[in-house]
Amino acid sequence: MARKRYTQAINEALFEEMERDPKVIVFGEDVELAIFGDTRGLLDRFGRNRIRNTPICEATLTGMAVGAAAAGYRVVLHMMFSNFLYTGFDAIANQMAKLRLMTGGQLELPITILSGYGGGRSNAAQHSDTPHPLLMNLGGVNVAVPATPADAKGLLKTAIRGRNPTFFMEASGRGGDSGEVPDGDYTVPFGKAAIAREGSDVTLIAIGTMLKPALGAAKQLEANGISAEVIDPRTLVPFDEDTILRSVRKTGRVVVVDEARDRCSAASHIAAILADKAFGSLKAPVKRVTVPDVAMPYAPNAEAKVFPSEANIVSAASAVAKAA
Amino acid sequence: MTTQPSGGPTPEQSLALYERMLLIRRTEEKLSADAAAGVLPGAVHLYIGQEAVATGVCMQLKDSDWITSTHRGHGHFLAKGGDVNAMMAEIWGKKTGICKGMGGSMHVADLSKGILGANGIVGGGLAISVGAAFGSKLSNDGRVTVCFFGDGAANQGVFMECLNVSSLWELPVVFVCEHNHFCEFTRAEQVTSGEIINRARAFGIHAVKVDGNDVEAVWRATAEAVALARSGKGPCFIEAETYRIKGHMEFEKELLAGGKYRELDEIEQWRARDPITRHGERLVKAGIATAAQLEEIGARVARQVEEAVAFSHRSEPADESLVFDLMFAGQKP
């Protein structure tokens, strides 16, 4: 174990997977210098046949990922900010997500798409979105939302070695956070949630960037005599229902914390699953702490107003815990 | 493939071109009749009149070369060596279909023949072909990727992006623009500025225009383009002028409620330039075949199409459970 930054863990996974398999290639906008630091140094080690800067042309990049994967490569495509997925969405939604079924299973598309998501840094509306709900709704792609450096490394390895397209959502605001990362080669399986903290009174389900404030909220709640269990789903597709249902059957009270906009968010989807499968265990309505259905504003005070905070989580959890 | 010193096809190749075009034509005439009878499960977009383009291009390719196709993709599929029974069964939504009935007319694909798939999105194949060619460039595997698209797709922004990146990285891709004069239900000139070929030239791409209703002209232009692309000199562009004899889709008359975007005599003028009739006449004139021999080929093709239909009819319906098995590899949705 050693303490490493989130971005550093991603960088290590890329180095190790590119060493391990010559069919792994990385391309995207500015991957050679890497503004997030995640692809830094790969060029010197592997050269431009394995990693290269592309023109700024997202509609083509996502389609090229499909073509290169069909031609036998394990593609890692870096889309920089998640908002740029929108300009590349045709090949994502119409090709990548559907080709396997449409071709009767002839095609396998081992594609990993990296993109930074989330707000909180005055990047304004076009660089702050959290679009995992759109991706979850496509049907044919996996969605990984690692919250910790250890999971970032292990989930990225699983994505790159996998047989299906995966969106690897990088918590850009958390890129500098550090945490313990296991030594040596390891993977983290998809569809297996992590219990980040055990508790008995209320379950906090925290997605990606929201794990840190949820853990902070759990501490505050403890001081108020409320024991919170914190669950990190780690992947939204596939989704580990069992771990969440087990926790909810124990606590009967739930807050889902998601940085996506509220309408049709991962939070609302999880709430629907609970209504469907854990109705009898619920002692209070399921609460969602999300971003309201607005564009992320620029001014720090305005952004803070709509951004899910530790205080929001504490207040939602307290209300749920008190509800009869 | 060996060609004549003139760059044209050998007599055997000429006959093969004729037979392949005829197979596409007769298959689609049957599909047209079945669409009119209302018995096909979904819509079909027919290639009738454009057969020389797919055939002239694909018969210059190896099985290992890739193609990407369009929503009007039956011709490309058959020209690249796709199986007519498996395609027909796919269109009928059968288990024996090339995509197990999961894709249908607009998505026929056969990876074993290098057919990366027809595509329901106008311009959808462009970036996929560039990605496949990028893979070939990295592997240095000697493959060429041919991207078929229409004058409609040439107005998509992704087209410009693909010309840029493929020229920049000298990728082994041949862009074949089938200018059939119609962007769905709109005349191409109404929605297109300038000459499409000049868009390719602007990126420094070797580009030629060819009579898309002359299979030998297409064959010769493709031989040159494929050789250039295979030699590592980067992409080539062919604009093949042809004409869509049928509508955007079968059944469109009913949808358009009497509205029309072309005159019937225009269709008749283009029928006079029919690529199959023209090539057949050329074969007879050159003494490569007699009229009787062409009729024999016609009879053989007709039997093949009849068998494809019979095969489809006697095949079982698609396996519904595959919807859940095929969405992901080794994973449930």
Side-chain angles (χ1 to χ4, degrees):
Chain A
M1 284 281 195
R3 280 192 82 73
K4 281 169 189 164
R5 283 178 298 110
Y6 186 89
T7 342
Q8 199 183 345
I10 293 172
N11 188 247
E12 279 188 10
L14 291 170
F15 263 99
E16 291 171 20
E17 291 310 296
M18 289 179 83
E19 288 288 4
R20 187 176 173 271
D21 183 350
K23 285 292 186 187
V24 177
I25 55 170
V26 178
F27 60 90
E29 294 154 12
D30 305 319
V31 288
E32 293 177 13
L33 291 177
I35 57 160
F36 299 150
D38 49 6
T39 52
R40 199 163 292 154
L42 296 174
L43 180 64
D44 288 344
R45 175 84 71 92
F46 299 103
R48 279 215 173 81
N49 267 3
R50 301 285 304 282
I51 168 162
R52 67 169 75 179
N53 284 349
T54 62
I56 301 169
C57 54
E58 291 88 2
T60 289
L61 298 183
T62 50
M64 277 184 69
V66 172
Y73 281 87
R74 294 193 169 271
V75 176
V76 178
L77 169 62
H78 205 306
M79 293 290 279
M80 203 181 280
F81 285 95
S82 285
N83 286 71
F84 308 162
L85 294 175
Y86 303 147
T87 37
F89 220 63
D90 172 51
I92 293 171
N94 280 318
Q95 316 295 344
M96 207 179 284
K98 297 185 170 70
L99 272 171
R100 188 172 160 77
L101 180 83
M102 290 195 314
T103 61
Q106 292 181 64
L107 265 181
E108 272 192 27
L109 298 173
I111 299 169
T112 303
I113 297 191
L114 307 181
S115 69
Y117 72 96
R121 288 156 297 132
S122 279
N123 277 335
Q126 293 175 340
H127 291 71
S128 299
D129 270 2
T130 299
H132 56 239
L134 292 180
L135 303 165
M136 290 166 69
N137 191 248
L138 293 178
V141 301
N142 286 322
V143 183
V145 282
T148 67
D151 285 344
K153 185 170 178 182
L155 288 170
L156 183 52
K157 287 186 166 227
T158 300
I160 293 172
R161 293 179 198 180
R163 299 167 66 193
N164 296 295
T166 297
F167 285 81
F168 183 89
M169 309 300 285
E170 279 189 48
S172 22
R174 301 265 82 94
D177 286 3
S178 52
E180 293 295 330
V181 174
D183 300 322
D185 184 39
Y186 70 96
T187 57
V188 172
F190 283 7
K192 190 87 197 70
I195 300 173
R197 177 195 165 109
E198 295 206 27
S200 53
D201 298 331
V202 60
T203 301
L204 306 180
I205 301 167
I207 293 157
T209 48
M210 295 291 101
L211 180 65
K212 196 178 180 183
L215 286 169
K219 262 194 194 158
Q220 287 190 43
L221 290 163
E222 191 178 32
N224 303 339
I226 299 169
S227 163
E229 178 145 296
V230 180
I231 295 183
D232 168 7
R234 302 201 284 194
T235 59
L236 294 168
V237 181
F239 186 71
D240 178 2
E241 292 186 3
D242 293 346
T243 300
I244 280 159
L245 290 171
R246 245 192 325 271
S247 176
V248 171
R249 287 185 184 124
K250 177 171 70 175
T251 62
R253 299 167 196 275
V254 191
V255 176
V256 195
V257 195
D258 184 2
E259 206 190 318
R261 270 181 284 278
D262 188 65
R263 194 180 296 131
C264 302
S265 57
S268 57
H269 174 63
I270 293 168
I273 291 172
L274 296 175
D276 193 24
K277 299 187 177 168
F279 190 73
S281 307
L282 290 171
K283 298 173 192 154
V286 176
K287 284 264 181 209
R288 303 185 304 276
V289 176
T290 50
V291 170
D293 298 318
V294 298
M296 198 59 88
Y298 168 75
N301 61 318
E303 188 176 25
K305 171 97 179 151
V306 297
F307 197 75
S309 66
E310 231 174 83
N312 298 149
I313 303 168
V314 169
S315 116
S318 305
V320 165
K322 278 183 212 128
Chain B
M1 277 188 198
T2 343
T3 52
Q4 294 283 75
S6 64
T10 62
E12 293 73 29
Q13 288 167 339
S14 278
L15 284 168
L17 289 167
Y18 179 81
E19 183 159 352
R20 194 64 63 90
M21 286 197 291
L22 201 60
L23 175 65
I24 299 169
R25 174 71 56 88
R26 296 289 175 256
T27 301
E28 290 212 317
E29 283 170 347
K30 177 63 182 152
L31 287 170
S32 177
D34 286 344
V39 294
L40 290 179
V44 284
H45 305 76
L46 301 183
Y47 194 63
I48 290 175
Q50 302 179 216
E51 296 90 345
V53 183
T55 308
V57 170
C58 289
M59 290 186 80
Q60 286 285 6
L61 301 177
K62 304 174 183 171
D63 274 0
S64 57
D65 291 325
W66 301 113
I67 64 162
T68 62
S69 168
T70 70
H71 56 285
R72 204 172 302 289
H74 307 150
H76 307 129
F77 181 91
L78 293 175
K80 188 69 170 48
D83 179 59
V84 65
N85 287 11
M87 184 182 92
M88 191 66 94
E90 183 63 30
I91 297 167
W92 278 92
K94 297 301 179 79
K95 198 176 187 169
T96 53
I98 189 66
C99 302
K100 303 184 166 76
M102 297 293 131
S105 160
M106 268 190 287
H107 305 296
V108 286
D110 184 351
L111 276 276
S112 71
K113 297 283 184 189
I115 305 164
L116 280 173
N119 212 302
I121 304 299
V122 171
L126 285 159
I128 295 175
S129 68
V130 171
F134 181 44
S136 290
K137 179 87 178 181
L138 296 180
S139 315
N140 201 19
D141 63 9
R143 282 176 163 163
V144 165
T145 303
V146 170
C147 175
F148 289 102
F149 62 103
D151 42 283
N155 289 331
Q156 292 273 22
V158 71
F159 174 51
M160 186 283 290
E161 299 181 1
C162 285
L163 293 176
N164 178 53
V165 76
S166 60
S167 177
L168 183 74
W169 291 350
E170 297 179 322
L171 302 181
V173 57
V174 177
F175 295 102
V176 178
C177 178
E178 296 188 62
H179 197 310
N180 71 7
H181 292 277
F182 299 100
C183 307
E184 299 181 8
F185 310 102
T186 302
R187 297 194 73 91
E189 59 267 26
Q190 193 188 336
V191 290
T192 310
S193 65
E195 293 274 326
I196 291 170
I197 193 170
N198 289 338
R199 299 177 188 180
R201 287 179 176 142
F203 290 89
I205 294 174
H206 177 74
V208 292
K209 226 177 203 175
V210 66
D211 177 351
N213 279 26
D214 178 348
V215 73
E216 284 196 13
V218 175
W219 161 282
R220 276 191 295 271
T222 308
E224 187 198 13
V226 166
L228 272 171
R230 227 189 274 288
S231 72
K233 296 205 173 85
C236 285
F237 183 95
I238 297 172
E239 183 175 338
E241 194 195 4
T242 181
Y243 188 81
R244 194 184 77 199
I245 295 288
K246 302 291 288 184
H248 168 59
M249 58 198 284
E250 296 302 278
F251 244 71
E252 71 178 29
K253 264 190 198 147
E254 288 74 4
L255 293 174
L256 297 176
K260 54 181 186 172
Y261 51 84
R262 61 177 166 184
E263 299 300 328
L264 287 178
D265 56 346
E266 182 183 83
I267 303 175
E268 290 316 310
Q269 282 164 28
W270 278 90
R271 276 195 209 278
R273 294 171 59 183
D274 185 276
I276 301 175
T277 312
R278 267 170 86 183
H279 188 57
E281 284 167 4
R282 180 188 283 152
L283 291 175
V284 173
K285 212 171 184 183
I288 294 171
T290 62
Q293 282 168 316
L294 294 187
E295 270 175 37
E296 255 173 60
I297 294 175
R300 186 159 69 226
V301 165
R303 280 195 301 276
Q304 223 181 325
V305 174
E306 269 171 42
E307 168 49 25
V309 173
F311 172 77
S312 305
H313 287 173
R314 68 174 179 262
S315 292
E316 282 178 51
D319 176 355
E320 296 159 24
S321 67
L322 284 183
V323 179
F324 303 98
D325 295 339
L326 292 180
M327 203 58 198
F328 286 97
Q331 184 185 324
K332 291 284 175 190

